[in-house]
Amino acid sequence: MPTPVEIIQAWRERLARAEGAAYCDALQEAAGDRVLCGALQEVMPELAHVWQRRIDRRRLLQLLGASLAMSGAAGCSRAPREKLVPYTAMPEGLVPGIPQTWATALSRGGSYAHGVLVKTHMGRPIKVEGNPRHPASRGASDAFSQAAPLELFDPERSRACTRRGAIVSSSAVLRALAAVRDRWSARAGRGLAVLTGSTSSPTLQRQVHALKSQLPEARWYVHEPIDRSSVIEGAALAFGRPAEPIYDFTRARVVVALDADFLDAMPGHLSYARAFADARRALDRHDSVNRLYAAQSTATLVGARADHRLSVKATQVNGLARRLAVLLGVIDDGTSSHDQEHERWLRLAAADLQAHQGEALVLCGDHQPAAVHVLVHAINEKLGNFGRTIRLIDPVADASRSNGDLRALCARMAGGAVDALFMLDVNPVYSAQADLPFAELLSRVPFALHSGLYQDETAGASEWHVPAQHAFETWSDVRAFDGSASIVQPVIAPLYPGWSLPQWLALIMKGEPGDAMGIVRGTWRALWAPARDRDFERRWHESLASGVVDKSQSASLTTALDRNWQAHVQRSVPSEGLELRFTADASVWDGRYANSAWLQELPRPLTSLTWGNALLISSALARELRVVNGDHVSVEHAGHELTAPVWIMPTDYPRHTLTLALGYGRTRAGEIGTDVGVSAYRLRTSAAPWLGTNVKVRAVEGHSALAAVQLHHEMHGRDLARQMTLDGFTAGARASHSEGNRLPSLYPEIDRHGRYAWGMTIDLNACIGCGVCTIACQAENNIPAVGKAQVLLGREMHWIRVDSNRVGDRGEETVFQPVPCMQCERAPCEYVCPVEASVHDSEGLNVQVYNRCIGTRDCSQNCPYKVRRFNWLDYNGYEREQPLAAPAAVMNPDVTVRSRGVMEKCTYCVQRISRARIQSKIEERTIREEEVIPACAAACPSHAIVFGDLLQSDQEIHRWRGSARHYVLLEELGTRPRTTYLAALRNSKPLDDETLKS
Amino acid sequence: MSAERVSVLKPGETYASATDQISALVLTEPTRRTWVLFFVTSAALAVVYLYAITAVFAIGVGLMGINIPVAWGWPLVNVVWWIGIGHAGTLISAILLLLRQPWRTSINRFAEAMTIFAAGIAGMFPFIHLGRPWYFYFLLPYPNTMTLWPQWRSPLVWDFFAISTYILVSILFWYQGLIPDLATLRDRARTRRTQLIYGFLALGWRGSIRHWRRYETVYLLLAGLATPLVVSVHSVISLDFAVTIVPGYHSTIFPPYFVAGALLSGFCMVITIAVPLRRAFRLEPYITERHFDVMAKVMLSAGMVVIYSYAVELFTAWYSGDPFERGMLVNRALGPHATLFWIMLAVNAGVLQLLWLKRVRTSIPMLFTLAIVINTAMWIERYVIVITSTQRDYMPSAWGTVSETHYDWALLLGSLGLFFFLMCLFIRFLPVISIHEVRELIHEQEEQRS
Amino acid sequence: MSGRPPLGLLARFTSAEQIVAAAKLVAAQDYRAVDAFSPFPLPELSEALRASAAGVKWCVLIGALVGALGGYLMQWYTAVHAYAFDVGGRPLHSWPAFIIVTFELAVLGGALAGFFGMLALNGLPRLNHPVFAANGFQLASRNQFFLLIESRDRKFDPKRTRELLDSLGAAEIVEVESE
């Protein structure tokens, strides 16, 4: 047993010998070597703390100090020889301070991408916008892509290869890999299993194909917690071949959504939302407005926007579909075993569908069983909607080559037939269904390797872990909901070692990763089969530049209903007792985004909950259980039990349904995401992944405070978020009380002599309440996340909040209202500020001068809209370390990072205005409409926000403000807001008895 | 008239006896145990105060129970309360002087001291409340290279000027009153040190009749200036709220309402101090039952104005028919802090009525308890005004409430500690009763007799 | 004892009535350089000696005016010229809002001028004065009253003046050294 000093001495000699890459390897090994660390802690206890803690700038310096203490003392061993290239010549096209934009694609969850434009500042990706040329984005983006830059720079990302938690060099991984490769390649791949998420990447599909032909015995399994299998299966049953339906809402006058949240949950939701909103834009009273019937088994955005809503159990949806089919004469059986409300809703819908054949649309949710999809396909077929409002394409994420899902893998592992398992960009240890003993089986696999962005649960349970590369760091390709492909190109050099998915498959097949770009180019060279090399290069560059591969949309399948489709229709009876719905979470999806403070703090639609999930229950059930918000209940389903806090939903929430969002209760997500909420996976079974029936729930001891940002959804008779009936609108009613005239004022009218007069108008009829504007604003304006405790105190910092207001007689209808700063012309916040920190500029902006603000907060007190936010504490980590403070790298250099004690608020993205102003001055012209788009408006999927110059009468905002739906929030206060609203519309079908009888 | 004049002093007092007894309190009196007790406890609380301030400055105002929408918390409540307490002193010293009320003589000195300490403490809270207190001087109109100036339309700037003027004028007024007494102490002092200190502070006052002439004139003029000032100060404070558009703040009754409230709580504090002082230093000859009776009457009248203001506020809120004003009403009566609202009404509108009874007005213990109870209720009143109003204003979606933290408590109790700490020092080192005015009073009495 | 003539004669009286009477007589004999010291203000006495307070009144008035004018002009200049900003669409010269600070500064100006004017006109602070040296003078701040006739008075004659004071019933007459 050598003494610590001897151990260190040995290492010193070894380091002294090593050079260049070998030196680095040696250092890495040293860092991972338990014995050495132990010895070091004995000899240099003052450095002990350096090992445990997470690495930031200060820690890094400490580590440098430590390594100096080692190598420095080791007789001044020479530093590794490396070539340094001075930054004399600027990279082409890079002008300091001018951001560059790159087109690439991001996918929510694994597959189904939407094109994005990544704005990089001096090489740092800081902001993501939707790619207007991409069919799945049309310029909009979702919350996850808005948070992508934060994820890229997350200091808690996995930074090094590890073996059983100890850091090892990547060459060590390669050595180990080579060893196992010999074993399986000798046996045609027997014992080799690759587990990935579902993927739409042509390259990956090609590689999997190659892998299988090279190693026929190798297995490829797909584990996607949130997948579309029943959609594809339903199509398969109906048409005899797997397919995915895609919808065209612009043509649909009547939409019947059977538990289908096409605004949020479905692939293509961004473009669907836009199309749906456009189909009911109705600025003029003669414009046509579609009508939406929605049956929902939980609170959904579609339900909130529906003209006719019906709240049912998930298991009743099949019944609804059958009844609808009967009413439309698709099938015939005598059942009309529905209660009055259902029947009325169905008859109204049926009548409307009848009347709009070919321009109607019936759809059902991805989580509904295949049988329901079959019925819906039949109904659409009958109404002649195929080819008009709906078309079928080949499944985008083709899993036909896979050997099944996690269940299949577990079976094989249990059989001991897996001795090398690669888990690439998946986290099965966390997200495995409750009935699969995956973690336990994994421990028996001889060679288990995990590659992921984080040192997550699976990394902890596997012997080997290799950091994955972020979508911004690597080459790949991916397809959208309609099949159109995009090439994923890196916008920054990889921050940490690791390999991308294509490289992994190359590694498994060939033994070396190769270069990702080459692999991807290979795929497309094969797909395009270009005559000349030049053609390929041209298309390649076009695709990279535009962010979408030209003409890559999947062709519509022309298939008729299978002859015996009716055989697959089931006569399922609705379940007794309570049902438990599992939903994808709006902020963490299936759990993979859990470590993002921005996403965690983004209020979930409808509930406005932040930092965690809760079991959503109806108020009726709450009364039965005698629980209030936050009280703990124990949920028991299929032998699995889980304790969760409850959140009580408003009246229209289905009485017998519980809802629990997936993705929480992470145990190794990182400092931010760990132990937030409860894990729904512990109740989820592979038999019924989306719905638990006969669920038992009982109140138990315990309470946890739930951080909701909006505590009052009723408006107490105050006319804030307005809604008109379509009939009234077409009859010429106006939303504004002042009939568009300005209310009188004691103050003289002032002319601000500005060259522009900026204004914003928000269409409550288009807003779907998804909240992307909020996080887009956060990403653009360096808004800090403050954490659950502060949110509970009412100190969230979002500059634009999305209120969900209950309207209607029984408060059963919802109107979403985004509320940014109103930029009042007669701003009440300004005259109370003692130091002129809140003043007006010549273009009508109500500006906040951070340097001047001393934090009296009188402005916020006097703001009737309460849109101002205050830095109560040092949220940005100026003074002391803040775990939630975003790393400096992700900050937008055009926006001041606010210090403790100053007030802040929406600025209409003034930095974008001034950038455009500078450009326009250079070119000696006025700013064009499309030049200034605030982050919220740019990200909005449904184009609910329009921004423009009120002095240029040709701008869209003027058409909006001319509408009879236009009104001013709290106009009677005489604040003269520059931000105004368009009232929402309800297009409910007039009740006539014929429709009910027929 | 004459009977009344006599009754403010016990008969048989002479220039000499008054002079000797009062100056003895400072010069020869041994330190009492009660004083030490008070001194130590209040000093301890004052330390807590300093700790809380340091923490809030170092870490941030987030330590206190404030948020959006309730961005103004306990510090603002304390400002209004403390300033109000200050007002009684000025009223006694200035207004009663102009009204030639002889009974003020024996209490005006410590009432003025109370004013200065209270106003000083009140003046600190706005800075504690600031998000960036180290930039407080942005409020000052000082020439600077960037030619930045305050925003004169802001009530907070008015505050800044009103409060600082108030503190300065009160100090002048108090100090001028002290000069002849400091001279008296100088002449009575036995040790070299005290002689030097008091001699220095007395500025060489020698009681020249020509000096007295100017002295008297300026004293009256200062009183004349202080009178509108004291009314203006709390009116300006009330404008912090009244000029906003927040339901519950935006009300024209506020200036008189606040001034009356100020007098009420101020006189409560005078009584709270006078009772133990009188007992501890045997000042019964100078502070008689009649003083308490008169002060109780002032409390009662101020209280009635306050009650009237409540009524007007509630009525207009209801009568306006404005949903937001009515909402404010409902929120106060039934909202998260309803209990406080009802306590406020019960005490300030109910218990106060006991003062109609002579028995209560003349019974020192009852008056003492009443004073403390009502003063607490007055603090609660300010809480109801400042905090419950923005809690639920225009947009229900933005509604939210706050709960206080232990820093809020530390700052409130600590400020009380600081106040009594300063009071203790004052009692020990300065004449608590204006000696020369007592002599003058005795002289007047003799003239009455002859 | 320096050779210089004394400051004057200081007569102690035991009651206010006495000294008032005495002062009247002394004034009647048109002594001018006369001063009196008492433990509290005696209006009759100051009348007798024709003490005037006109100066301090002017101080207060001017101080108040300067405060008011300066205050308003400062606000007007800074808000309209030096730092003209569009604040909530309010007029630059929002005079109603300027009144309050104007008022406060008027009070402040008046008070400061009054207090310091009083000190200045009284020649204070002056920590030492010959009368302090006079025997028993510290009783002037207790219960005794003093009348001082200065030697610079042209009617002053050490002998006759002393007799006069005697005749007025002075309890004690001392000579005050000059400084």
Side-chain angles (χ1 to χ4, degrees), chain B residues 26 32 54 63 154 160 170 204 208 254 272 287-288 352 367 420:
Chain B
V26 178
R32 301 172 171 287
T54 320
L63 292 178
S154 165
F160 189 71
S170 306
S208 157
F254 263 34
T272 320
I287 307 176
T288 61
L352 182 91
L367 214 49
F420 286 108

Side-chain angles (χ1 to χ4, degrees), chain C residues 52-75:
Chain C
S52 143
V56 287
K57 291 181 182 165
W58 281 107
C59 289
V60 174
L61 179 64
I62 292 164
L65 287 179
V66 168
L69 232 75
Y72 194 93
L73 287 179
M74 170 181 67
Q75 298 179 72

Side-chain angles (χ1 to χ4, degrees), chain A residues 747 750 752 825-826 830-831 836 840, chain C residues 83-91:
Chain A
Y747 295 105
I750 56 160
R752 293 205 153 87
E825 293 178 351
R826 295 273 164 78
E830 291 179 9
Y831 70 84
E836 267 163 343
H840 238 77
Chain C
Y83 201 51
F85 263 95
D86 177 354
V87 170
R90 287 357 184 224

Side-chain angles (χ1 to χ4, degrees), chain A residues 807-822:
Chain A
V807 298
D809 332 330
R810 301 197 327 281
E812 74 286 10
E813 292 172 351
T814 304
V815 173
F816 295 109
Q817 183 172 38
V819 185
C821 174
M822 296 289 125

Side-chain angles (χ1 to χ4, degrees), chain A residues 623-818:
Chain A
R623 271 192 300 280
E624 282 176 33
L625 295 168
R626 295 212 184 70
V627 289
V628 298
N629 283 340
D631 284 357
H632 286 182
V633 296
S634 166
V635 190
E636 192 265 309
H637 164 238
H640 307 286
E641 196 158 16
L642 179 72
T643 303
V646 299
W647 187 259
I648 300 165
M649 298 299 287
T651 48
D652 61 323
Y653 181 82
R655 183 191 171 116
H656 297 291
T657 304
L658 313 167
T659 308
L660 191 58
L662 299 165
Y664 290 95
R666 295 283 308 269
T667 54
R668 275 179 67 113
E671 205 170 318
I672 291 165
T674 301
D675 294 332
V676 176
V678 296
S679 172
Y681 290 108
R682 289 171 46 199
L683 288 177
R684 200 183 191 203
T685 61
S686 47
W690 289 109
L691 185 70
T693 51
N694 304 322
V695 177
K696 303 276 174 297
V697 55
R698 57 187 170 80
V700 294
E701 278 306 300
H703 179 95
S704 18
L706 297 174
V709 301
Q710 187 184 357
L711 306 170
H712 298 263
H713 296 266
E714 289 71 26
M715 286 193 288
H716 300 269
R718 307 174 176 197
D719 204 2
L720 303 173
R722 296 181 189 170
Q723 170 174 271
M724 315 168 77
T725 63
L726 183 63
D727 305 347
F729 180 61
T730 42
R734 303 186 68 87
S736 172
H737 300 328
S738 66
E739 300 301 328
N741 313 329
R742 286 196 147 184
L743 296 167
S745 162
L746 287 174
Y747 295 105
E749 290 297 329
I750 56 160
D751 174 14
R752 293 205 153 87
H753 308 291
R755 178 163 182 190
Y756 307 95
W758 304 111
M760 178 184 276
T761 300
I762 301 174
D763 185 353
L764 302 187
N765 197 41
C767 178
I768 59 169
C770 62
V772 172
C773 48
T774 306
I775 193 169
C777 173
Q778 184 160 31
E780 169 73 13
N781 292 301
N782 301 338
I783 298 172
V786 296
K788 183 176 187 179
Q790 293 289 306
V791 173
L792 279 168
L793 291 171
R795 294 177 179 176
E796 67 277 358
M797 297 296 281
H798 299 131
W799 285 1
I800 179 171
R801 64 173 197 263
V802 182
D803 295 344
S804 67
N805 299 290
R806 317 288 308 167
V807 298
D809 332 330
R810 301 197 327 281
E812 74 286 10
E813 292 172 351
T814 304
V815 173
F816 295 109
Q817 183 172 38

